[in-house]
Amino acid sequence: MTKGFSSWRVGPLAPAGTLVVLFLLLGVGERPAQAAKRRVGVALNGPHASTVHDALRVALKHHGFETTSADVAGDTPDAIAAAAKPGKLAAVILGEVRDGGKRLKLRVYGATGDLIGEGSWAEAGGIKKLVAVVERTLWARVGGSLSKARPARGGDKSDKADKGEKEPEGEEAASGEADEPEKGSTYSRSKDAETSSADEGESSRKRKKKHAASDDAEDSGASEAAGAAGTALDLAVGPRFMSRDLSWTPGGTTLHGYTLGFAPSVGALLAWYPAAHVTGGWASNVGVAASIEYTPGLNSDGPMNARYPTSESDYWAGARGRLIFGAGAVQGSLTLGGGQQTFIFHGSATADRNNLGNLPDVKYTYARAGLDVRVTLPAHFALMLGGGYRYVLGAGDQNFLIQAMGYFPSSKFLAFDATAGVGYKFLSMLEARAGFDLRRYQMTAGANTFMASGATDQYLGLSLQLAVMLDGVAAAEGGPTSSHKAAKPAADDASDDASEDKEGSSGPPPEEKGKKKKKGSEDEE
């Protein structure tokens, strides 16, 4: 029969780590609830507007905002400010659903009516896919603008606008009184009015065409950007529980097997795309990935109740590339790199390592190719699956390592790993995760003195992690930076209006002026 040894560990490090993670989850998660919710008015037009409104409500509620329907008389600053004032709204969102629910355009206005941000979405899959993408990416695109929005204080812009409108009326009345003595030199204004109305109609048509062109360009840009919307940094840290089972084939050899129950350990996982912090495109999908596991304070029971200090660790790192589908709903990545996993027994003053001569140590050094997939689910959940092939370059040939001359110098290994996990994003940058992983090494023994043909060395792991996720530039398009871009067309419209007003206020046509002058000379005669 194969003799087996079990192990146990001393020290509260991992339970303490679990308590720290739970404290962070509870402490950080309570902050949004304690803060006073800000109100945002929403006014949408087009098909499926109510469905999109519900998606906006869910997405904004997650960040401490309360949505309400806004009755806006128009898209002018005065109209928006007037709509925001009664309900003490911090912002007003105007939007239009187009193409039967395939495209969405949103504009975010502050309480004073100023345009502070905007975003566009395009999804060929219809309203269901559009709503899912909007709910997932809304904060990344307009969250920067909304986070700075505050309700108007005291006299708002609409009041000032009203005062500003009354003053010109007084001036016009005064000017009218001043011009009254010159009634004899008046001329017909009907033609001027017709010309002015025609000019205004033409200018409004030009503005509508300009807005339509800009909206189409932004929508097409949104569809292109959606394909590159990914995270720039994903760092997950937390406690783990690791087990090991080592068995030999055939079972009647003189070698010792080994069994370890789930022992507390710690682990971390990193995925970083540096270029995604500053740009989009293919460069934002190239980065690095790494993983580490370490089990501190582990001891193994041996013959005569001896306890052997035991070290266990596993780490790998490599270059990573990813592909993003469905505006970030599915992300697939390929990692090429290498790592090392060790499980070593140490001697002590009361435990001689030579007494474990029939239980070798392992130090697997491997090259690794891994595939990972992340699928975003409704209600802020996510599913993560992964697997990798480990090409074992060596398992160690010194001292008590398994490929030393006294054990299996000509042995070969076949190894792989697999992972599965779920995540819940409870804040815009924080996600809680739970996962399971398997690592398995299958050894072909080769020539040896133990009459063994092979061995199976298997590790199982359970993990609880807190992940920090930072969105890349492409995912955040339509945020604060886009609000500045959006202000430019408004300025262009103002300049167009100013030029049109200048042309319209140039006075009566030359023919009318000539008639007036001629009539005045006849009166003098």
Side-chain angles (χ1 to χ4, degrees):
M1 296 293 291
T2 300
K3 298 180 181 180
F5 291 116
S6 61
S7 69
W8 63 287
R9 75 177 298 279
V10 180
L13 294 177
T18 305
L19 293 177
V20 170
V21 172
L22 293 177
F23 174 78
L24 289 173
L25 293 177
L26 294 176
V28 176
E30 288 177 358
R31 291 180 185 175
Q34 295 173 355
K37 288 188 175 181
R38 282 175 282 173
R39 303 188 70 201
V40 176
V42 178
L44 301 177
N45 294 321
H48 308 288
S50 60
T51 304
V52 176
H53 191 162
D54 291 339
L56 298 182
R57 177 182 56 80
V58 172
L60 294 179
K61 181 180 179 181
H62 195 60
H63 297 277
F65 285 85
E66 178 183 351
T67 62
T68 182
S69 297
D71 186 9
V72 184
D75 59 355
T76 63
D78 295 338
I80 294 171
K85 185 178 179 181
K88 296 182 179 179
L89 303 180
V92 176
I93 298 178
L94 302 185
E96 184 178 0
V97 186
R98 305 172 183 171
D99 294 348
K102 295 181 180 180
R103 294 198 301 169
L104 173 65
K105 171 70 177 180
L106 294 181
R107 294 182 185 272
V108 183
Y109 296 87
T112 58
D114 297 327
L115 180 64
I116 60 176
E118 60 184 342
S120 300
W121 289 262
E123 183 58 52
I127 187 62
K128 290 185 177 180
K129 290 188 177 181
L130 179 67
V131 166
V133 173
V134 170
E135 184 176 338
R136 186 174 62 255
T137 62
L138 177 69
W139 188 256
R141 300 196 182 187
V142 300
S145 304
L146 286 173
S147 61
K148 300 176 183 178
R150 295 291 185 276
R153 297 180 180 178
D156 60 1
K157 187 172 180 180
S158 61
D159 296 337
K160 296 180 181 178
D162 294 340
K163 293 179 182 178
E165 289 175 359
K166 290 178 181 179
E167 291 177 358
E169 289 177 3
E171 293 176 358
E172 289 176 1
S175 62
E177 292 176 358
D179 295 340
E180 202 167 351
E182 299 180 2
K183 285 183 180 179
S185 60
T186 57
Y187 59 92
S188 175
R189 300 175 182 262
S190 59
K191 292 184 179 181
D192 293 341
E194 293 175 0
T195 306
S196 175
S197 60
D199 292 341
E200 289 176 0
E202 185 177 355
S203 63
S204 62
R205 285 193 296 272
K206 289 180 180 179
R207 284 197 297 270
K208 288 181 180 179
K209 289 181 180 179
K210 184 183 295 184
H211 284 305
S214 62
D215 290 346
D216 293 340
E218 289 169 357
D219 290 339
S220 62
S223 61
E224 294 175 0
T231 55
L233 175 67
D234 188 332
L235 175 61
V237 181
R240 290 176 51 82
F241 300 90
M242 186 273 301
S243 72
R244 184 196 186 197
D245 183 75
L246 172 64
S247 59
W248 303 93
T249 304
T253 66
T254 59
L255 294 167
H256 295 304
Y258 184 86
T259 300
L260 170 66
F262 283 98
S265 60
V266 293
L269 184 65
L270 168 70
W272 183 36
Y273 303 89
H277 291 287
V278 295
T279 186
W282 68 268
S284 64
N285 294 321
V286 178
V288 295
S291 173
I292 185 170
E293 174 192 78
Y294 175 65
T295 306
L298 185 63
N299 287 276
S300 298
D301 294 337
M304 301 177 63
N305 295 324
R307 295 173 181 172
Y308 295 85
T310 306
S311 60
E312 185 278 334
S313 65
D314 185 14
Y315 66 88
W316 58 259
R320 170 171 287 190
R322 68 178 171 186
L323 292 175
I324 301 176
F325 306 94
V330 179
Q331 299 186 30
S333 60
L334 170 65
T335 305
L336 301 177
Q340 186 178 87
Q341 182 170 6
T342 62
F343 203 100
I344 299 176
F345 303 95
H346 303 277
S348 66
T350 58
D352 186 359
R353 179 64 179 85
N354 291 306
N355 294 333
L356 291 180
N358 288 351
L359 181 58
D361 301 328
V362 294
K363 183 186 287 187
Y364 302 114
T365 301
Y366 55 84
R368 181 179 182 275
L371 290 173
D372 295 275
V373 177
R374 176 186 172 92
V375 181
T376 301
L377 304 176
H380 307 290
F381 282 94
L383 174 66
M384 292 154 284
L385 301 173
Y389 171 71
R390 300 186 175 193
Y391 180 77
V392 179
L393 303 173
D397 57 4
Q398 301 294 323
N399 300 324
F400 294 95
L401 291 171
I402 196 169
Q403 287 187 318
M405 292 302 297
Y407 291 106
F408 306 96
S410 58
S411 60
K412 298 192 179 299
F413 297 86
L414 179 66
F416 69 91
D417 59 63
T419 62
V422 293
Y424 175 71
K425 202 168 187 180
F426 60 95
L427 288 177
S428 60
M429 295 190 302
L430 295 180
E431 184 175 77
R433 296 175 181 172
F436 164 84
D437 59 80
L438 164 69
R439 290 155 290 174
R440 185 182 179 96
Y441 298 86
Q442 191 71 41
M443 183 190 79
T444 301
N448 63 88
T449 60
F450 297 97
M451 304 300 294
S453 60
T456 300
D457 193 7
Q458 181 170 286
Y459 302 80
L460 298 178
L462 301 175
S463 63
L464 296 173
Q465 294 180 322
L466 179 65
V468 177
M469 304 177 68
L470 301 180
D471 287 328
V473 168
E477 282 193 2
T481 54
S482 67
S483 64
H484 297 296
K485 295 178 181 178
K488 188 172 182 181
D492 293 341
D493 293 342
S495 62
D496 292 342
D497 294 341
S499 62
E500 290 165 2
D501 293 341
K502 187 174 180 181
E503 293 173 358
S505 62
S506 59
E511 296 178 0
E512 295 289 342
K513 287 185 179 180
K515 290 180 181 179
K516 285 178 62 180
K517 189 173 182 180
K518 184 176 181 180
K519 185 177 181 180
S521 61
E522 291 176 353
D523 292 340
E524 288 177 0
E525 293 175 357

